[in-house]
Amino acid sequence: MGRGKIAIQRIDNRTNRQVTFSKRRSGLMKKARELAILCDADVGLIVFSCTGRLYEFTSSSMKPIIERYQEAREDNNCRLLNPISEAKFWQMEVATLRQQVQNLQNNNRKLMGEELSDLTIRDLQFLQSQIEISLQSVRKKKEQLLAEEIMQLNKKGIVLQKENVELKKEVSIAHQHKIELQKLSGESTSSGDGDRESGSSDKVPSRSTAHDASEHINLSLSIEGHPDE
């Protein structure tokens, strides 16, 4: 379980207050030390306990830091009242920013493998560790993107398979309709041929009947023309 949040207010219990002061003071000193080392900052820390005991940390020497602090306060007050001092302040800020940009450009060139002649073995080892950490981050990001693309492609493949199955069903249904239409057209053709044959057979007896009737009329006429025979 995580730690419970402590209300930011005075601790009434003296023992708890002393324990908390000791822990927080150690953490504050540690953070000040890390800030000075990692960021090349000039750090000075002064702490008085509730009993009046002094605790301090400095990255170099406390006296120069205090003097620098006083000068900075005076310069800040003068800058607020004097436009010339303010202009000088901004000039210094611009120079500082330019120096920072130049440092970043130099670091970038070193990361690209350029201008390494003035580096020591320790510097090269530190540079190598930075590059390896960067490569790990790049590989992790690339693997993440590839995994996402593969997932998207799998989803598209499933959709295409479903569409293919539906198209096959539609083609099969269309083929069945075509076969049924061909069967129906063949049956209608057969029935038409049968009707024509039955019609022609009915007409033949009628021509035969007419021929017999004409022969009977001719025979009657011949008998009437020769009564003596």
Side-chain angles (χ1 to χ4, degrees):
M1 294 177 62
R3 294 184 302 174
K5 292 185 178 181
I6 299 175
I8 305 302
Q9 60 185 10
R10 184 178 182 275
I11 300 174
D12 296 329
N13 187 282
R14 182 176 180 179
T15 303
N16 294 340
R17 186 167 62 244
Q18 185 63 32
V19 172
T20 302
F21 174 79
S22 179
K23 291 181 179 179
R24 299 283 177 123
R25 186 197 70 238
S26 299
L28 183 61
M29 295 290 183
K30 182 180 178 181
K31 292 296 182 182
R33 187 180 301 107
E34 292 176 354
L35 181 64
I37 294 173
L38 295 175
C39 302
D40 195 20
D42 203 3
V43 179
L45 176 63
I46 298 174
V47 178
F48 287 97
S49 68
C50 60
T51 59
R53 186 172 180 180
L54 172 63
Y55 300 91
E56 64 178 14
F57 167 81
T58 177
S59 58
S60 56
S61 178
M62 185 62 72
K63 185 176 180 180
I65 292 177
I66 294 175
E67 291 176 353
R68 184 178 175 183
Y69 168 75
Q70 291 175 349
E71 291 175 359
R73 286 291 304 272
E74 291 176 0
D75 291 340
N76 186 33
N77 293 332
C78 292
R79 182 174 58 82
L80 295 176
L81 301 176
N82 190 351
I84 297 175
S85 299
E86 185 176 1
K88 291 181 179 179
F89 170 79
W90 288 115
Q91 289 175 357
M92 292 175 61
E93 287 291 322
V94 170
T96 303
L97 292 174
R98 286 178 179 174
Q99 185 63 39
Q100 291 178 357
V101 170
Q102 185 176 358
N103 293 336
L104 290 173
Q105 290 175 349
N106 292 334
N107 292 333
N108 187 33
R109 284 193 290 270
K110 291 176 181 178
L111 289 173
M112 297 298 295
E114 302 174 358
E115 299 181 2
L116 303 177
S117 58
D118 58 340
L119 297 180
T120 63
I121 296 296
R122 186 175 180 180
D123 294 335
L124 291 173
Q125 290 176 348
F126 179 73
L127 182 63
Q128 182 180 1
S129 64
Q130 284 185 327
I131 293 173
E132 289 176 352
I133 293 172
S134 300
L135 284 174
Q136 290 177 358
S137 299
V138 171
R139 290 194 186 99
K140 185 176 180 180
K141 185 63 177 180
K142 184 183 73 172
E143 291 174 357
Q144 180 182 354
L145 293 176
L146 288 175
E148 292 176 356
E149 290 181 0
I150 291 171
M151 187 179 297
Q152 294 294 329
L153 290 174
N154 289 333
K155 290 181 179 179
K156 290 181 180 179
I158 293 172
V159 173
L160 290 175
Q161 287 179 355
K162 291 181 179 180
E163 292 180 354
N164 190 19
V165 171
E166 294 296 330
L167 288 173
K168 285 183 178 180
K169 289 181 180 179
E170 293 179 0
V171 170
S172 178
I173 292 171
H175 184 66
Q176 293 294 332
H177 285 304
K178 182 179 178 182
I179 293 173
E180 292 176 359
L181 290 174
Q182 288 177 351
K183 288 180 179 180
L184 291 174
S185 62
E187 291 176 357
S188 61
T189 304
S190 299
S191 62
D193 293 338
D195 292 341
R196 285 195 297 271
E197 290 177 357
S198 62
S200 59
S201 62
D202 292 340
K203 290 179 182 179
V204 170
S206 61
R207 287 197 300 269
S208 176
T209 303
H211 180 67
D212 294 340
S214 60
E215 287 182 351
H216 179 71
I217 292 170
N218 291 330
L219 181 60
S220 299
L221 291 175
S222 62
I223 293 173
E224 291 177 358
H226 300 82
D228 296 335
E229 299 176 358

